[in-house]
Amino acid sequence: MQLGKGIGLTVIPTSQFKTVRVAVDFIAPVTVSELSKRILMAQLLETSSQDYPTQTALATALSNMYGASFGVNVFRYGRINGLRFSGNVVDGALLGDPDVLATMFNFMKKVIFRPLVKDDAFESQTFTLQQRNLIAYLKSLDDDKQYHADQQLQNMVFSDLPELATSLYGDAATIATLDGQGLLADYQNLLATNQVQVTVVGDVTEAQIKALMGDWPLPDRTPLKESPIVTRLRQPLIEKTEQQAVAQAKLNLAYQLPIGYRTEQFYAALVFNGLFGGTPISLLFKNVREKNSLAYFASSQFDAFTGMLSVRTGIESHNRQAVEAIIAAQLTAIQNGQFSDELFDQVVASLINGRESRMDSAQALLNQAVLDELVGSHVSTAEWVQQVSAVSKQTVSAVAQQVTQQATYFLEGADDNETAPLS
Amino acid sequence: MRQHHYPKLAETLYSDVLPNGLTVHLLPKAGFHKTYAVFTTDYGSIDNTFVPIGTTHPVTLPAGIAHFLEHKMFEKEDHDAFDDFAHFGANSNAFTSYTHTSYLFSTTRHLKENLETLLDFVQRPYFTKATVEKEKGIIGQEIQMYDDDPNSQAYFGTIAAMYPDLPFKNDIAGTLDSIAAITADDLYLAHKTFYQPANMSLVVVGKLEPDETMGWIKANQAAKLFDRPMPIIRSQNEAAYQGGLIKRSTLTMPVERPKVSLGLRGVDQLPEGWDRFKYEEALSLGFDLLFGETASEYLRLYDQSVLDDSFGYNIELQRGAHFVILAGETADSDRFEAGITEILENAQAYLKKAEFNFETVKREAIGSTIASFNSLEAIANQYDDWLYGGTTIFDEVDVIEAVTFDDVLTAMQSFINLDTVSVQTILPGS
């Protein structure tokens, strides 16, 4: 339902869970600066507000709501990014405290609409501390070599679309230029103009939530029209190798697969990815890890919003060529229909298991509801299962034939020559 | 089959011990679509010295044997158990800790077939020289991956420094050298001793009908022959460990900022059963009062930029050891260590100052416990038949409610001992 122009509310009533989960999303088209600003806003709003000026005050309010959780984070689907306030509170019926949900909504209202402000700016001490913490955190992220490799690949693939390349944790250089006054103005603008999507999963009704939000200051706004789906021309193949003192090398590959979310070939693309490297029974897993002992992991991911298919592996540096050859051979095998009926059936069964399992996660139900709103369509689990079951081996091969390689990133271990073979 | 209703959680648990000694727990969850099952042996990476069943002399197997066995269980003569699960759409996996090895699957369909696959593959070992050699390459990669991970190095390195004379000093997966020595015979020996049904438990949670499910499990077990249950003799200090300790160690890794971990080793003798669980909860509340997000001491260090959101602490109580690790990233490792140490030194005084906050942290602990019952995985993975002698996570809300502020003061007084603190620092560099 609509609470106002550009303000949507979706309630998923269920008694399956011990908690009620709430998300309040402010959604707009993504840009590099928009994304970085949202990330710093998230950091500030998660730790302070006018009514809860310190972390301790905020944490105490949550603890008193029986350890309710509250967080602010940023998401991105293709061309769209959102600032999300989420709360999760134990169902009052289990606590003998029916008011706890109302307390949570009141808390969220205060945190969202009354940030810690002084002289028309985010309070300067808190702002400086959180800006510094965030930049330090961003630098530490690189300690995780998988993250480093993933981000390098992302930068290569989206060199022409930096808003898609930027890490979801933000861009340190952009964040360093922000100030408390400008960011507050941006935040107030976001509150007044962004598409709002409120989603609730739990033992509640739409009327109940509407009443709890009755006094939220949310004026009408222009609904978001942009589609999250990115369409691109075919890109030239690029390659990059970097050396670092790591024991395990990372080989990451990117491909283009121009099939959009819920388009005609979408379900076949899901089966293709499951067969290629998206499930633990996939060809990549079997052939790179199990048969050849070349890697501890090898997997693929498909993003139907950007059309990017990627492969990640952790290997020994001297095995690079062998691993690349095996990956290419698996893609060719799928293109030529060279995979068994049993494996194909296993992949379909595994995807169905994954999809049906998501009905047991309040978070997954919530995310799906938001996505449905963004793309303006809904597919029930039963319909989804039917669509995936209807995919044939031939359509999967046809999908595989549309895959073109776009980028190779290799993080090479500096001293790998001294490593003895393992087996 | 026993039935136990827990009104505070709105859950009913069904339990039985089968004639072969296997303990089974079933938790039906209304409205759920998935079933999660985990089959666990009370055997982990610290149990590498033991008296094999049918012999009288202890042997010591190479470090990493329990984890190696976990990997190898899936592979059979002509197929992989993984594929049996996949055939019925299930996801399967396994993990090894210091004290347990667990095998699991989750599925929305074909529960009976998947349960049978789980019981069968874990109870029917098949190892050969060739398959054991091949696995060494895969596990070697896994070990190297953790070697590159500073957080993993900080955590496990701190535990190793606290217990330099115990198997806790070894990585759960072992080392490249130790796993090189593992043979198929070693794996059979460990399996025969520790995978007796009486040393194992099966927990099934989610979409299930208790009578029907228990019937499947009983029929599967009744159709197999098992040796008579034998007591397991393992090398383990029953009293709290009083041995050596590495007070300080420094590691250089390619990290952006120093990472400091303080390991506090418990040297007090723990009570048994319910009281042990209560001791653990009292410690947990005590650390919340000193270092939790609602603690004023935490805020003071946070505002001074001594620590930040990367800070956290873990209370670990396991068979053979109990300890707390406080860890975080910091610009200044000396200030970090001094700040934490000062609070520990004056813990009793700070706790008394924080008494007003006791009901708040208790409320939070109760709510978080109830919320964790949303997750089939959290329920089944945390369920432990051995650690608290019959008291389990289903009793946790009652245990927390029973903890008084005096219990917290007593537990913290008993636990904190500044002579058994080990500090590990990871400094930036290559």
Side-chain angles (χ1 to χ4, degrees):
Chain A
M1 75 176 295
Q2 295 295 307
L3 292 173
K5 213 172 139 209
I7 305 160
L9 168 67
T10 308
V11 174
I12 302 172
T14 167
S15 57
Q16 194 182 342
F17 305 108
K18 306 284 183 206
T19 54
V20 180
R21 189 173 278 279
V22 183
V24 180
D25 296 333
F26 292 86
I27 305 165
V30 63
T31 64
V32 174
S33 78
E34 193 62 34
L35 192 65
S36 291
K37 282 174 186 169
R38 277 164 200 260
I39 288 158
L40 183 54
M41 287 171 193
Q43 176 84 12
L44 283 165
L45 295 161
E46 189 172 274
T47 49
S48 67
S49 83
Q50 203 71 46
D51 302 283
Y52 311 103
T54 65
Q55 274 193 306
T56 321
L58 209 127
T60 302
L62 291 167
S63 293
N64 282 327
M65 285 183 260
Y66 298 88
S69 57
F70 166 75
V72 192
N73 69 312
V74 177
F75 63 84
R76 173 177 57 199
Y77 292 111
R79 291 195 185 278
I80 301 299
N81 68 171
L83 179 69
R84 168 170 296 178
F85 296 85
S86 26
N88 191 26
V89 62
V90 174
D91 193 317
L94 284 168
L95 298 167
D97 184 349
D99 295 334
V100 69
L101 185 64
T103 312
M104 185 70 185
F105 268 87
N106 193 35
F107 168 87
M108 286 180 78
K109 181 184 127 189
K110 287 196 273 189
V111 172
I112 294 169
F113 297 104
R114 287 170 49 81
L116 187 58
V117 167
K118 205 176 168 191
D119 304 328
D120 290 327
F122 279 109
E123 194 276 321
S124 66
Q125 235 177 324
T126 305
F127 182 87
T128 309
L129 178 67
Q130 295 302 347
Q131 186 180 37
R132 201 170 55 211
N133 282 357
L134 181 56
I135 293 170
Y137 175 70
L138 278 166
K139 287 188 174 160
S140 304
L141 279 176
D142 245 22
D143 294 351
D144 177 348
K145 294 306 155 198
Q146 187 60 56
Y147 172 85
H148 176 79
D150 293 348
Q151 197 50 48
Q152 292 298 314
L153 187 73
Q154 200 82 6
N155 288 341
M156 290 167 72
V157 168
F158 296 114
S159 55
D160 57 332
L161 295 169
E163 66 275 22
L164 300 184
T166 304
S167 160
L168 258 190
Y169 301 100
D171 174 60
T174 309
I175 288 167
T177 65
L178 300 173
D179 65 76
Q181 196 172 4
L183 196 71
L184 180 65
D186 290 326
Y187 180 59
Q188 282 160 345
N189 183 51
L190 172 153
L191 290 179
T193 62
N194 274 196
Q195 162 88 34
V196 179
Q197 198 57 45
V198 181
T199 315
V200 185
V201 181
D203 202 0
V204 292
T205 62
E206 207 173 67
Q208 220 179 328
I209 302 302
K210 197 181 167 192
L212 288 172
M213 293 183 63
D215 60 349
W216 284 36
L218 284 171
D220 286 352
R221 68 242 7 250
T222 314
L224 183 79
K225 289 200 180 62
E226 284 80 352
S227 158
I229 294 175
V230 181
T231 46
R232 304 179 78 191
L233 297 172
R234 186 157 162 191
Q235 304 290 313
L237 182 63
I238 41 177
E239 237 187 274
K240 182 177 171 182
T241 297
E242 197 181 348
Q243 287 204 335
Q244 284 193 15
V246 291
Q248 189 183 71
K250 310 281 182 202
L251 177 67
N252 278 12
L253 309 176
Y255 306 81
Q256 283 183 275
L257 177 55
I259 294 177
Y261 189 70
R262 286 183 185 161
T263 55
E264 196 193 332
Q265 289 186 304
F266 174 63
Y267 297 94
L270 292 181
V271 178
F272 159 75
N273 181 51
L275 192 60
F276 185 45
T279 60
I281 47 177
S282 64
L283 292 170
L284 281 183
F285 190 86
K286 291 263 171 195
N287 290 291
V288 181
R289 172 170 154 146
E290 295 290 332
K291 278 201 191 137
N292 293 289
S293 283
L294 289 173
Y296 178 60
F297 66 89
S299 65
S300 71
Q301 300 77 35
F302 173 55
D303 181 344
F305 294 97
T306 59
M308 176 176 171
L309 170 74
S310 55
V311 168
R312 290 175 180 159
T313 68
I315 64 173
E316 286 193 64
S317 293
H318 63 257
N319 286 330
R320 173 184 174 171
Q321 283 181 329
V323 172
E324 279 195 273
I326 291 172
I327 295 170
Q330 307 319 309
L331 184 57
T332 308
I334 302 177
Q335 287 167 341
N336 296 335
Q338 292 160 338
F339 47 87
S340 70
D341 290 344
E342 168 66 15
L343 180 61
F344 182 77
D345 292 343
Q346 285 183 10
V347 167
V348 170
S350 167
L351 293 172
I352 291 172
N353 186 43
R355 173 68 190 212
E356 289 179 338
S357 296
R358 274 160 53 188
M359 290 190 281
D360 291 348
S361 159
Q363 183 69 58
L365 291 173
L366 191 153
N367 288 343
Q368 188 62 58
V370 173
L371 211 46
D372 284 356
E373 287 299 323
L374 285 177
V375 297
S377 65
H378 174 74
V379 174
S380 73
T381 300
E383 281 171 74
W384 192 98
V385 167
Q386 198 227 323
Q387 292 273 13
V388 164
S389 304
V391 171
S392 68
K393 288 178 74 172
Q394 288 72 23
T395 49
V396 167
S397 292
V399 163
Q401 285 156 16
Q402 297 173 55
V403 171
T404 54
Q405 194 173 350
Q406 191 194 342
T408 305
Y409 170 79
F410 187 49
L411 178 63
E412 189 173 14
D415 303 312
D416 190 63
N417 295 338
E418 290 163 25
T419 314
L422 287 164
S423 53
Chain B
M1 187 161 61
R2 280 180 296 118
Q3 209 186 105
H4 198 312
H5 183 65
Y6 297 89
K8 283 181 185 132
L9 299 167
E11 303 284 6
T12 302
L13 182 70
Y14 298 79
S15 305
D16 210 347
V17 178
L18 306 194
N20 66 13
L22 176 67
T23 303
V24 181
H25 300 288
L26 307 175
L27 183 73
K29 294 274 285 177
F32 277 68
H33 304 82
K34 179 173 76 176
T35 317
Y36 181 81
V38 54
F39 193 20
T40 298
T41 162
D42 188 25
Y43 168 58
S45 69
I46 64 166
D47 299 312
N48 53 348
T49 299
F50 61 93
V51 179
I53 293 295
T55 72
T56 50
H57 293 290
V59 297
T60 297
L61 298 181
I65 181 92
H67 174 259
F68 204 102
L69 181 57
E70 173 229 296
H71 270 236
K72 261 340 324 151
M73 282 311 302
F74 284 88
E75 194 170 338
K76 303 301 175 202
E77 189 168 6
D78 53 355
H79 72 289
D80 195 304
F82 212 73
D83 290 325
D84 294 342
F85 286 112
H87 182 76
F88 292 107
N91 273 330
S92 61
N93 211 334
F95 55 89
T96 306
S97 68
Y98 287 116
T99 55
H100 292 152
T101 313
S102 296
Y103 300 85
L104 59 93
F105 71 81
S106 80
T107 193
T108 55
R109 300 174 179 207
H110 303 290
L111 176 59
K112 177 173 186 274
E113 290 82 356
N114 285 310
L115 265 177
E116 286 167 352
T117 299
L118 177 68
L119 291 164
D120 290 349
F121 98 87
V122 175
Q123 292 181 331
R124 285 185 189 141
Y126 172 81
F127 313 117
T128 67
K129 188 167 191 299
T131 63
V132 168
E133 290 311 310
K134 197 197 77 178
E135 199 70 21
K136 289 176 183 175
I138 293 171
I139 296 180
Q141 284 288 338
E142 184 176 354
I143 292 170
Q144 289 192 323
M145 189 171 74
Y146 290 118
D147 282 350
D148 283 344
D149 176 1
N151 291 323
S152 162
Q153 287 300 308
Y155 192 74
F156 292 106
T158 305
I159 296 171
M162 285 189 284
Y163 300 97
D165 311 322
L166 291 185
F168 279 103
K169 72 172 186 288
N170 300 317
D171 271 6
I172 289 170
T175 63
L176 293 180
D177 286 340
S178 75
I179 64 168
I182 289 175
T183 67
D185 285 343
D186 293 340
L187 298 177
Y188 278 116
L189 198 64
H191 187 276
K192 190 174 164 60
T193 302
F194 290 106
Y195 283 62
Q196 307 178 53
N199 194 48
M200 301 192 70
S201 79
L202 174 65
V203 181
V204 191
V205 185
K207 184 176 77 176
L208 64 89
E209 199 289 301
D211 286 321
E212 179 188 53
T213 308
M214 190 63 86
W216 294 334
I217 297 165
K218 282 185 171 167
N220 176 281
Q221 293 298 284
K224 292 177 191 167
L225 277 177
F226 294 98
D227 294 336
R228 198 161 49 86
M230 298 285 281
I232 291 171
I233 304 163
R234 48 185 134 204
S235 159
Q236 183 171 326
N237 48 320
E238 295 304 328
Y241 171 70
Q242 307 289 343
L245 172 119
I246 298 166
K247 286 226 160 195
R248 190 167 291 280
S249 53
T250 305
L251 204 64
T252 307
M253 289 184 80
V255 294
E256 286 292 333
R257 291 193 296 162
K259 290 177 193 283
V260 187
S261 315
L262 279 84
L264 282 73
R265 190 177 84 197
V267 289
D268 47 338
Q269 192 64 43
L270 294 188
E272 299 290 325
W274 167 280
D275 290 330
R276 174 179 294 193
F277 205 166
K278 196 170 146 191
Y279 170 91
E280 185 179 7
E281 294 298 342
L283 270 195
S284 178
L285 294 171
F287 277 90
D288 289 346
L289 287 172
L290 295 180
F291 297 104
E293 280 194 87
T294 63
S296 51
E297 305 318 315
Y298 166 83
L299 183 66
R300 173 169 57 82
L301 296 181
Y302 189 96
D303 284 344
Q304 294 167 356
S305 288
V306 173
L307 47 78
D308 62 20
D309 301 305
S310 66
F311 177 77
Y313 51 93
N314 247 350
I315 290 140
E316 293 274 356
L317 199 151
Q318 315 210 351
R319 169 160 54 77
H322 64 291
F323 53 86
V324 173
I325 293 179
L326 301 124
E329 294 179 6
T330 176
D332 185 337
S333 54
D334 292 336
R335 278 178 77 207
F336 181 94
E337 184 186 336
I340 304 282
T341 306
E342 192 271 331
I343 295 171
L344 292 171
E345 274 168 352
N346 301 299
Q348 291 287 314
Y350 282 129
L351 284 169
K352 283 173 191 154
K353 247 175 72 186
E355 185 175 357
F356 74 92
N357 200 23
F358 180 60
E359 287 307 319
T360 299
V361 294
K362 212 167 147 175
R363 249 186 195 210
E364 161 156 27
I366 289 167
S368 308
T369 303
I370 297 174
S372 74
F373 277 76
N374 272 344
S375 159
L376 305 184
E377 290 81 357
I379 298 167
N381 291 347
Q382 285 173 40
Y383 197 92
D384 189 319
D385 266 311
W386 302 283
L387 194 55
Y388 312 107
T391 306
T392 69
I393 49 163
F394 286 85
D395 304 301
E396 191 167 357
V397 172
D398 290 329
V399 174
I400 298 167
E401 281 179 349
V403 175
T404 65
F405 184 67
D406 279 343
D407 292 332
V408 172
L409 290 178
T410 310
M412 294 291 274
Q413 180 75 39
S414 161
F415 172 75
I416 296 175
N417 180 344
L418 290 163
D419 295 331
T420 50
V421 176
S422 177
V423 183
Q424 166 149 302
T425 310
I426 296 180
L427 292 172
S430 52

